[in-house]
Amino acid sequence: MVGLIKNNRGLFLVEAAMLLIPVVLMLFLLLEAFRREVFQLLLIHITCSEVRALALGENKNIIENENRNFLMSALGSVLGEQIERESKRSLKRVTEPIELRWLKVGKFPGGLSERWLRYEQLLSFELRSQKKHHQEIIKRCLFPFS
């Protein structure tokens, strides 16, 4: 009779490898989702404080310095400076309520602040035969009393 040799170590390594790959991918997806939410919260705060300060008569240079200091204290000096450089800002005054329909920010005209941020993902994936390397976030805030 032929005896079967038990190889528990090999079986354990195969099971560990099969478990490790999905866990690592899940961790990267969770980290990417967390990064996106952090960037969205920061952009919401910056756009709303920007338009509110402009409506109340603050100087644009003071507003930019406050936003830069806020980003550097929230993200650290290196990442805060990078986000400040890469985010594009537009400030405008909306006078007609019909202009606000496609922006989906409110019904009453006023000062509108918009920030657009494009940042690199931790992992890239393929979408419709094209690689997707970046994420984009657009945040708008309307201050109707300006």
Side-chain angles (χ1 to χ4, degrees):
M1 226 192 221
V2 177
L4 294 174
I5 300 172
K6 291 186 178 182
N7 190 356
N8 289 337
R9 276 188 297 178
L11 183 63
F12 178 74
L13 287 176
V14 169
E15 287 178 0
M18 289 181 68
L19 181 67
L20 188 64
I21 293 169
V23 167
V24 168
L25 287 175
M26 182 188 64
L27 286 176
F28 271 110
L29 288 174
L30 287 174
L31 184 62
E32 189 64 47
F34 180 73
R35 283 179 67 208
R36 183 173 178 86
E37 290 302 316
V38 167
F39 290 153
Q40 282 186 0
L41 284 174
L42 291 174
L43 288 181
I44 287 170
H45 174 76
I46 287 174
T47 54
C48 289
S49 66
E50 215 169 38
V51 72
R52 184 175 48 240
L54 278 175
L56 297 175
E58 284 286 330
N59 189 358
K60 286 186 179 182
N61 294 331
I62 294 172
I63 296 170
E64 287 178 14
N65 287 336
E66 287 177 358
N67 287 340
R68 186 176 300 115
N69 291 338
F70 174 73
L71 280 175
M72 287 174 51
S73 67
L75 297 173
S77 61
V78 176
L79 188 58
E81 281 291 326
Q82 180 183 359
I83 297 298
E84 177 68 28
R85 270 195 321 268
E86 291 178 4
S87 67
K88 295 181 178 144
R89 175 182 78 167
S90 71
L91 297 166
K92 56 185 166 185
R93 182 156 173 74
V94 179
T95 55
E96 295 295 320
I98 198 119
E99 295 176 43
L100 296 171
R101 183 173 294 157
W102 68 275
L103 293 173
K104 297 179 183 174
V105 289
K107 297 180 180 176
F108 301 108
L112 180 72
S113 174
E114 179 180 80
R115 282 272 181 161
W116 179 78
L117 175 64
R118 184 174 188 223
Y119 66 95
E120 287 194 32
Q121 293 179 340
L122 296 174
L123 293 176
S124 63
F125 59 92
E126 196 165 320
L127 179 68
R128 296 188 187 124
S129 72
Q130 294 180 346
K131 284 221 174 215
K132 183 158 174 66
H133 297 283
H134 294 88
Q135 289 284 339
E136 294 180 0
I137 300 173
I138 298 173
K139 288 296 171 190
R140 296 180 184 99
C141 187
L142 178 70
F143 196 74
F145 304 116
S146 57

